[in-house]
Amino acid sequence: IAAIDQYYEALKKLEEAQERRKSLEKKLEHTDDFSEKIYLSGELIGAYEAEAEAQRNLMSAKQATIIANVGALRNLGFDVDYDSSTNKLFIKNLEHLNELTASTAGEYETLEEATNALRKDTEDLINTTEQLNSDNIEAKDTIEDLGYQVLETKNNIVSYIEEIYKEQTEAYRNGF
């Protein structure tokens, strides 16, 4: 339950950061006032940074789940390589899935039903783990893109300042 709360909180903060970024981008797109553009760009840089931080927090939550899932898969006899710093995940012996057998029928009527359920649950665990890892790879790319957006926005601020200077110089030359 704590993991679910952590996911929910991280996802909620990410959605809020994305909405703020989108709103600021739209406002920036619809203004012609360079002073307003400078202000909104400064706010937008903060929004990009907040979104990147929210992405990192969500990645961290997913990473903790991946690590736990990798441990569970190893306990089931799978040979799993996982590097959390590079998001490299590789299950070397997927064929082991067909070798899994339940030790008891448990809640099922037969051992065969229990084995099928174990295999299905394990396959779901593998798929979930791979999806979480793919999500983290994508999030890492998004964080990198947000960094480039920050740089681009800083360059835009310089351009806006130059435009203000240009307008002021022209107004001065033309006698206001």
Side-chain angles (χ1 to χ4, degrees), residues 26-89:
K26 189 177 282 188
K27 287 178 184 176
L28 186 59
E29 185 180 312
H30 288 69
T31 186
D32 293 327
D33 181 322
F34 289 112
S35 295
E36 181 71 7
K37 285 184 181 215
I38 292 169
Y39 170 76
L40 291 171
S41 294
E43 292 291 306
L44 187 55
I45 288 170
Y48 288 142
E49 291 168 346
E51 184 176 345
E53 183 61 25
Q55 283 281 6
R56 281 189 284 277
N57 290 339
L58 185 56
M59 279 179 68
S60 179
K62 288 180 179 183
Q63 198 171 67
T65 301
I66 293 167
I67 289 169
N69 291 358
V70 165
L73 290 169
R74 285 179 179 149
N75 288 338
L76 288 168
F78 287 91
D79 187 5
V80 184
D81 285 338
Y82 176 61
D83 183 345
S84 60
S85 63
T86 61
N87 294 310
K88 298 284 187 210
L89 174 69

Side-chain angles (χ1 to χ4, degrees), residues 1 12 16 18-19 25 27 34 45 51 55 74 79 81 95 111 114-115 121-122 126 133-134 136 151 153 156 160 164:
I1 293 178
K12 185 176 176 185
E16 289 169 0
Q18 289 171 330
E19 287 301 314
E25 287 172 340
K27 287 178 184 176
F34 289 112
I45 288 170
E51 184 176 345
Q55 283 281 6
R74 285 179 179 149
D79 187 5
D81 285 338
E95 71 279 356
L111 189 58
T115 294
D121 290 347
T122 304
I126 290 168
N133 195 61
S134 292
N136 276 359
L151 292 175
T153 303
N156 289 344
Y160 301 147
I164 289 173

Side-chain angles (χ1 to χ4, degrees), residues 4 57 66 155 157 165 170 173:
I4 292 171
N57 290 339
I66 293 167
N155 288 335
I157 290 172
Y165 177 75
E170 281 182 32
R173 282 188 196 151

Side-chain angles (χ1 to χ4, degrees), residues 65-141:
T65 301
I66 293 167
I67 289 169
N69 291 358
V70 165
L73 290 169
R74 285 179 179 149
N75 288 338
L76 288 168
F78 287 91
D79 187 5
V80 184
D81 285 338
Y82 176 61
D83 183 345
S84 60
S85 63
T86 61
N87 294 310
K88 298 284 187 210
L89 174 69
F90 185 66
I91 302 170
K92 296 179 184 177
N93 59 337
L94 276 175
E95 71 279 356
H96 179 64
L97 185 62
N98 296 321
E99 299 166 356
L100 291 176
T101 56
S103 55
T104 65
E107 64 187 70
Y108 300 95
E109 291 188 23
T110 66
L111 189 58
E112 183 180 349
E113 285 179 7
T115 294
N116 289 339
L118 173 63
R119 288 177 182 169
K120 173 72 172 110
D121 290 347
T122 304
E123 185 177 10
D124 290 346
L125 180 65
I126 290 168
N127 290 338
T128 297
T129 304
E130 288 175 338
Q131 183 59 55
L132 290 171
N133 195 61
S134 292
D135 291 349
N136 276 359
I137 291 168
E138 192 175 308
K140 194 171 188 176
D141 290 343

Side-chain angles (χ1 to χ4, degrees), residues 52 56 138-151:
R56 281 189 284 277
E138 192 175 308
K140 194 171 188 176
D141 290 343
T142 299
I143 290 168
E144 184 178 348
D145 291 344
L146 288 166
Y148 291 130
Q149 289 294 100
V150 167
L151 292 175

